[in-house]
Amino acid sequence: MLRLIALRIAMAVPVMLVVATIVFLLLRLSPGDPALIIAGETAGPEALARIRADMGLDRPLFVQYLAWLGEIARGHLGISVLSKIPVLSLIFDRLEPTLVLAISAIIITVLIAVPLGAIAAWRHNSWIDRAVMMLSVVGFSVPAFVIGYILILLLSVKADIFPVQGYVSPFDDPVAALRHLALPSITLALVFMALISRVTRSSLLEVLGEDFVRTARAKGNFERRVLWRHALPNAAVPIITVIGLGIALLISGVVVTESVFTVPGVGRLTIDAILARDYPVVQGLMLFFALIYVGVNLLIDIAYVIVDPRIRY
């Protein structure tokens, strides 16, 4: 296990280097002048030249790139152009709402989608199967922001059950936090529930036709035990893969959901930084998201070995 973790961490280094290079080139070669944003439209050429010199933008692109990599190696992601606050501090300040929202959405997704997919496979071609598949198609087809606004209209504006927007830390007021998290978490979870329930169903359908399942039934095991004790663990590898991919896709969903519900998390910070062309923040966030993606893939690889000991790397 330790060898696997060490190998995956070693493989992550060139991946992060490629991501860093792409991020740097995308932002440096995109149109627009950060110095002009800081100084304003009325700034003169001398003021703009001074700001570019202070930010190092007057140096050759390759020199800027090497200097930036050196800063990253020291754990310094730069300083925000607008707020003059270190990027790492900005990310950590916004991390709690995003983590709480993402974890709650993942818990809702796994607790509902896996049993739904399993029951749909168990009752294949029944009305339950068709209902689950219909709901998954709806979940795939409707964008997250549309689901969010519908939930706000029905459950906040009309029924007045949940607050329309905002965030309360669970460490300050757990009850208020749950009320504020309910709608964003459901919005974020619905899309991934559709994906995971479909994969769970198809994976289980394949396993339910295997010989060992017929043997378990022939031994007189109850159908429920056959499903949950024998079939589902053997169908777990594809499900874990999709859950891992879902967590990676969750990043984009968090950006949209936090904007709809005005949650002050990392997703909202990303939108604000892009609109303001605060490129040190955008660079830092993209590297941060890439690191999360690499970390999730590492956890998936470890989960493979735990769920199916036959897997070797």
Side-chain angles (χ1 to χ4, degrees):
M1 185 66 74
L2 290 176
R3 180 175 171 274
L4 167 66
I5 295 173
L7 183 65
R8 285 292 183 269
I9 291 175
M11 291 172 63
V13 174
V15 172
M16 292 302 299
L17 186 62
V18 171
V19 171
T21 305
I22 293 173
V23 168
F24 178 84
L25 291 176
L26 278 176
L27 292 175
R28 287 299 194 283
L29 299 179
S30 60
D33 186 354
L36 188 62
I37 295 173
I38 297 173
E41 298 289 340
T42 57
E46 292 182 358
L48 292 175
R50 188 173 61 253
I51 292 173
R52 290 192 189 104
D54 292 341
M55 297 175 65
L57 297 175
D58 58 340
R59 293 182 290 177
L61 195 63
F62 187 66
V63 176
Q64 293 182 44
Y65 174 65
L66 290 181
W68 183 61
L69 285 184
E71 292 292 321
I72 291 175
R74 289 193 291 272
H76 184 55
L77 296 181
I79 305 291
S80 167
V81 170
L82 297 179
S83 63
K84 306 300 181 188
I85 297 174
V87 173
L88 209 53
S89 299
L90 281 175
I91 293 175
F92 281 131
D93 288 345
R94 301 288 193 97
L95 199 55
E96 184 203 309
T98 301
L99 280 180
V100 171
L101 176 59
I103 291 172
S104 59
I106 292 168
I107 291 173
I108 292 172
T109 301
V110 173
L111 289 181
I112 295 177
V114 174
L116 270 182
I119 293 171
W122 186 28
R123 299 296 186 189
H124 182 50
N125 282 334
S126 68
W127 69 268
I128 297 175
D129 183 21
R130 295 189 186 92
V132 171
M133 289 302 98
M134 186 186 72
L135 288 175
S136 66
V137 170
V138 172
F140 268 131
S141 307
V142 183
F145 70 92
V146 175
I147 296 173
Y149 285 126
I150 291 174
L151 290 177
I152 288 174
L153 178 65
L154 296 179
L155 300 179
S156 296
V157 178
K158 300 286 186 185
D160 195 21
I161 298 174
F162 299 107
V164 175
Q165 58 186 16
Y167 172 77
V168 175
S169 172
F171 302 107
D172 297 333
D173 188 343
V175 176
L178 284 176
R179 293 188 69 240
H180 281 81
L181 274 173
L183 295 188
S185 301
I186 294 171
T187 302
L188 199 54
L190 279 176
V191 177
F192 303 109
M193 282 170 58
L195 175 66
I196 292 173
S197 62
R198 287 183 73 91
V199 172
T200 302
R201 174 185 176 274
S202 61
S203 180
L204 262 177
L205 277 177
E206 186 177 340
V207 170
L208 286 172
E210 297 286 342
D211 290 339
F212 73 90
V213 173
R214 282 194 287 273
T215 303
R217 284 172 173 153
K219 285 183 176 179
N221 285 310
F222 291 110
E223 195 65 24
R224 190 173 301 173
R225 180 179 172 80
V226 171
L227 177 67
W228 300 108
R229 179 70 180 83
H230 297 283
L232 189 58
N234 285 281
V237 171
I239 299 170
I240 290 173
T241 304
V242 174
I243 291 175
L245 292 174
I247 293 173
L249 293 173
L250 203 69
I251 293 170
S252 59
V254 161
V255 173
V256 175
T257 306
E258 286 185 356
S259 299
V260 172
F261 292 94
T262 322
V263 177
V266 175
R268 181 78 186 201
L269 177 65
T270 306
I271 296 287
D272 294 341
I274 291 173
L275 292 176
R277 286 193 55 78
D278 195 347
Y279 70 87
V281 178
V282 177
Q283 285 176 163
L285 285 167
M286 294 178 78
L287 286 179
F288 174 72
F289 290 144
L291 194 61
I292 290 178
Y293 190 83
V294 170
V296 168
N297 276 284
L298 173 62
L299 293 177
I300 292 171
D301 289 340
I302 295 173
Y304 284 164
V305 177
I306 294 173
V307 171
D308 190 349
R310 295 170 299 178
I311 295 177
R312 291 286 183 272
Y313 291 96

